[in-house]
Short mmCIF file of all heavy atoms in Angstrom, two decimals:
data_model
loop_
_atom_site.label_atom_id
_atom_site.label_comp_id
_atom_site.label_asym_id
_atom_site.label_seq_id
_atom_site.Cartn_x
_atom_site.Cartn_y
_atom_site.Cartn_z
N LYS A 749 51.08 73.94 164.11
CA LYS A 749 49.94 74.84 163.95
C LYS A 749 49.16 74.50 162.68
O LYS A 749 49.75 74.34 161.62
CB LYS A 749 50.43 76.30 163.89
CG LYS A 749 51.06 76.77 165.19
CD LYS A 749 51.56 78.20 165.06
CE LYS A 749 52.22 78.69 166.30
NZ LYS A 749 53.48 78.06 166.60
N TYR A 750 47.84 74.41 162.82
CA TYR A 750 46.97 74.16 161.68
C TYR A 750 46.86 75.42 160.83
O TYR A 750 46.99 76.51 161.36
CB TYR A 750 45.58 73.74 162.17
CG TYR A 750 45.56 72.37 162.80
CD1 TYR A 750 45.67 72.21 164.18
CD2 TYR A 750 45.43 71.24 162.01
CE1 TYR A 750 45.65 70.96 164.75
CE2 TYR A 750 45.40 69.97 162.58
CZ TYR A 750 45.52 69.84 163.95
OH TYR A 750 45.51 68.60 164.52
N PRO A 751 46.61 75.27 159.53
CA PRO A 751 46.43 74.03 158.80
C PRO A 751 47.77 73.30 158.60
O PRO A 751 48.83 73.89 158.61
CB PRO A 751 45.85 74.46 157.45
CG PRO A 751 46.23 75.89 157.30
CD PRO A 751 46.40 76.45 158.68
N LEU A 752 47.65 71.97 158.45
CA LEU A 752 48.79 71.10 158.19
C LEU A 752 48.58 70.42 156.85
O LEU A 752 47.45 70.28 156.39
CB LEU A 752 48.90 70.02 159.28
CG LEU A 752 49.02 70.50 160.73
CD1 LEU A 752 48.86 69.32 161.69
CD2 LEU A 752 50.37 71.18 160.95
N ILE A 753 49.68 70.00 156.23
CA ILE A 753 49.56 69.20 155.01
C ILE A 753 50.18 67.84 155.29
O ILE A 753 51.26 67.75 155.88
CB ILE A 753 50.19 69.89 153.77
CG1 ILE A 753 49.94 69.05 152.53
CG2 ILE A 753 51.64 70.21 153.98
CD1 ILE A 753 50.21 69.76 151.21
N ILE A 754 49.46 66.79 154.89
CA ILE A 754 49.87 65.42 155.12
C ILE A 754 50.28 64.81 153.78
O ILE A 754 49.50 64.83 152.83
CB ILE A 754 48.73 64.58 155.74
CG1 ILE A 754 48.05 65.32 156.89
CG2 ILE A 754 49.23 63.20 156.14
CD1 ILE A 754 48.96 65.83 157.97
N LYS A 755 51.50 64.27 153.72
CA LYS A 755 52.01 63.70 152.47
C LYS A 755 52.53 62.29 152.74
O LYS A 755 53.12 62.04 153.80
CB LYS A 755 53.19 64.53 151.95
CG LYS A 755 52.91 65.99 151.74
CD LYS A 755 54.20 66.72 151.39
CE LYS A 755 53.98 68.22 151.27
NZ LYS A 755 55.23 68.93 150.99
N PRO A 756 52.35 61.39 151.78
CA PRO A 756 53.09 60.13 151.88
C PRO A 756 54.58 60.46 151.91
O PRO A 756 55.06 61.27 151.11
CB PRO A 756 52.72 59.37 150.60
CG PRO A 756 51.42 59.99 150.17
CD PRO A 756 51.50 61.43 150.59
N ALA A 757 55.31 59.87 152.84
CA ALA A 757 56.69 60.29 153.09
C ALA A 757 57.71 59.71 152.12
O ALA A 757 58.86 60.13 152.13
CB ALA A 757 57.10 59.95 154.52
N ASN A 758 57.30 58.76 151.29
CA ASN A 758 58.29 58.19 150.37
C ASN A 758 57.68 57.93 149.00
O ASN A 758 57.76 56.83 148.46
CB ASN A 758 58.94 56.94 150.95
CG ASN A 758 57.93 55.87 151.34
OD1 ASN A 758 56.75 56.00 151.09
ND2 ASN A 758 58.42 54.81 151.94
N THR A 759 57.05 58.98 148.46
CA THR A 759 56.58 58.96 147.07
C THR A 759 57.05 60.24 146.40
O THR A 759 57.64 61.11 147.05
CB THR A 759 55.05 58.86 146.98
OG1 THR A 759 54.48 60.03 147.57
CG2 THR A 759 54.51 57.60 147.65
N ASP A 760 56.76 60.36 145.13
CA ASP A 760 57.23 61.51 144.36
C ASP A 760 56.10 61.99 143.45
O ASP A 760 55.08 61.31 143.31
CB ASP A 760 58.44 61.06 143.52
CG ASP A 760 59.26 62.21 142.97
OD1 ASP A 760 59.05 63.36 143.40
OD2 ASP A 760 60.10 61.96 142.10
N ASN A 761 56.26 63.15 142.83
CA ASN A 761 55.32 63.67 141.83
C ASN A 761 53.89 63.82 142.35
O ASN A 761 52.94 63.57 141.62
CB ASN A 761 55.34 62.79 140.57
CG ASN A 761 56.62 62.95 139.81
OD1 ASN A 761 57.13 64.05 139.67
ND2 ASN A 761 57.17 61.86 139.33
N SER A 762 53.73 64.19 143.60
CA SER A 762 52.42 64.44 144.22
C SER A 762 51.56 63.18 144.36
O SER A 762 50.36 63.26 144.58
CB SER A 762 51.63 65.50 143.45
OG SER A 762 52.30 66.73 143.48
N ILE A 763 52.17 62.00 144.25
CA ILE A 763 51.41 60.76 144.45
C ILE A 763 50.88 60.76 145.88
O ILE A 763 51.62 60.97 146.83
CB ILE A 763 52.29 59.52 144.18
CG1 ILE A 763 52.68 59.48 142.70
CG2 ILE A 763 51.60 58.23 144.60
CD1 ILE A 763 53.73 58.46 142.35
#
Side-chain angles (χ1 to χ4, degrees):
K749 295 178 181 69
Y750 290 96
L752 303 169
I753 184 167
I754 313 307
K755 304 173 184 177
N758 56 6
T759 63
D760 196 13
N761 290 319
S762 298
I763 294 170

